[in-house]
Amino acid sequence: MDKKITMAHGSGGKSSAELMKQIFGKYFHNEILDRLEDAAVLDLKGGRFAYSTDSFVVNPIEFKGGNIGKLSVCGTVNDLLMMGAEPLYLSSGFILEEGLDTAVLDRIAKALSEEAEKAGVQVVTGDTKVIEGRGGLMINTSGIGYILPERDVRAANCRPGDAILLSGTLGDHHACILSARMGIENSIVSDCGVLKEITDALFGAEIPVHTMRDVTRGGLGTVLNELAESADVGIRIKETSLPVNPEVRGFCDILGLDPLYMGNEGKMVAVVPGERAEEALALMRGTEMGKNAAVIGFCTSDSRGVILETPLGGTRVVDMLYGEGLPRIC
Amino acid sequence: MDKKITMAHGSGGKSSAELMKQIFGKYFHNEILDRLEDAAVLDLKGGRFAYSTDSFVVNPIEFKGGNIGKLSVCGTVNDLLMMGAEPLYLSSGFILEEGLDTAVLDRIAKALSEEAEKAGVQVVTGDTKVIEGRGGLMINTSGIGYILPERDVRAANCRPGDAILLSGTLGDHHACILSARMGIENSIVSDCGVLKEITDALFGAEIPVHTMRDVTRGGLGTVLNELAESADVGIRIKETSLPVNPEVRGFCDILGLDPLYMGNEGKMVAVVPGERAEEALALMRGTEMGKNAAVIGFCTSDSRGVILETPLGGTRVVDMLYGEGLPRIC
């Protein structure tokens, strides 16, 4: 195997075929993919399916707690989970930059396949292209999941009185990526991960979840604004209830960052009827990904958007992220 | 609207939301997409579905006969069609380079939506990222199509005695892109297009199509080798029967290119029982995309791969494309 990716690996000819065999063929195997047709053939029972896509352009492509391969599974699988779906199938499209180390590609393909296995999804179709560049790599995944008939999880379903749960600390992925890019040594690890354990716990206990959203780029502030707008409710959260890892808090203080607008890759909000909040919280906290979960606020019937209660008892309006978040965070 | 794309448009915050509204919102509308959830929700009846993905990195992003938006529909829709599927849904992931003209993005989004409408598919979920760069743009699409129960179209189904039909002239897309990149003035137009009219004609007349493949990067030589390997048959084609546009032929002669290995974006081979070849050919020729179709050869029971009969009566082995095809042709 060549040590570096060249434009020839994107030609669709022999070099492409070799790359498939030597790297992707090593990690991706299932009955559907192995047919090597132009498209995968899926046997689906009838019903509602969630279908989502995301491109991943994170820089650096390897970071503490994961790499772009793992991330490309988490991002799309989490989007399916947030609709109340059971993730089933993934597509994966690699765009390789000329000069990429094949050893790095190997690690990334391995992480992608391992995370897919962990999430219980099969990668059934893929594509690889090569472009000029500086040895980087981007991945697009799309995914299909099955929505059980009784589930109805939508942004528009938030109701006044509903409790808003956040599954864990804010800003870890953002702070991890930014630290790597700035060359700052610390022990901040990305939260990049699949949220299935949490959704399984909630649905397993028949919590009537109204809405779920993963908290990615744009941060919690943006997600809450989107929910308030979709459901035409107000949202009121308490600053003191927002979980933030102390090291991330310190990092934010130094750089003037607000955890409310920092990206995460393994965090979600769940909106549940107020009377089930404590039960849902206990279920979340019983999972590895949700051990730092908290009830952060409530939906209200006023229409002033998202309001934050400050530690001193004042309030301020939380707007959507405006302008530039951290580029290439996911 | 800003005149150029900036990193802020990829932040997931207000600038992203504005970009969605001002450009994508103008062209992409349907009941499913308009819900603006993390994932689209599809109502599917049970059965077999084709699922495919492709990333598009063509350079230049606008060319004679199309642009990367149109191409991103054709490529994925054709992959679904080649499995005998009726294309239903598309996902589309845009990766924008900083500095891209929003007017160019507008044209590309428009072309994507128009081609999707023409192909009868709905774009139901999407994603946009921004990276550093020089004003370029890449698109990934994935697609889902329904395969009627009676259809069984697979590479492994080629049988000795089957006729191989090619839907039209070779190399037009390749020659068009290369001309644009070299600054050569000519009237060569990309063949970029959806092949649905052809597959509809064949299935409509109940031609028992064994295998279909679109002829993209790697060219006809690579596709025929893949079919021969999958089905464990030999393939014998006649050089004189290969349709090539005279202007493309001249272009190839000057540059020493072989139409057998040139990429296309609106061409396919169909493998049908020998006795139905003439009927299938007439059906293809009755369509706009297939008007230059030809029977180019047959499957055989020997196992020497793909053999080309030269105009002088000799034969040569046609191998897969080796090494570098034209970079970023699709």
Side-chain angles (χ1 to χ4, degrees), chain A residues 134-168:
Chain A
R134 289 176 298 180
L137 143 64
M138 294 173 276
I139 301 177
N140 174 287
T141 53
S142 76
I144 299 176
Y146 176 68
I147 306 174
L148 273 76
E150 66 272 20
R151 293 191 189 165
D152 179 26
V153 184
R154 284 183 294 140
N157 288 356
C158 302
R159 295 279 170 275
D162 283 354
I164 300 170
L165 282 78
L166 175 64
S167 65

Side-chain angles (χ1 to χ4, degrees), chain B residues 174-188:
Chain B
H174 190 125
C176 166
I177 295 299
L178 189 53
S179 300
R181 241 184 269 167
M182 297 173 76
I184 298 173
E185 294 279 341
N186 56 35
S187 55
I188 297 172

Side-chain angles (χ1 to χ4, degrees), chain A residues 78-92:
Chain A
N78 287 342
D79 279 346
L80 299 176
L81 290 170
M82 295 304 102
M83 301 301 294
E86 303 291 322
L88 297 173
Y89 301 110
L90 284 188
S91 72
S92 111

Side-chain angles (χ1 to χ4, degrees), chain A residues 56-83:
Chain A
F56 299 88
V57 299
V58 65
N59 172 22
I61 56 181
E62 299 184 290
F63 48 82
K64 273 186 210 159
N67 63 31
I68 192 170
K70 178 181 179 186
L71 183 62
S72 74
V73 173
C74 300
T76 292
V77 163
N78 287 342
D79 279 346
L80 299 176
L81 290 170
M82 295 304 102
M83 301 301 294

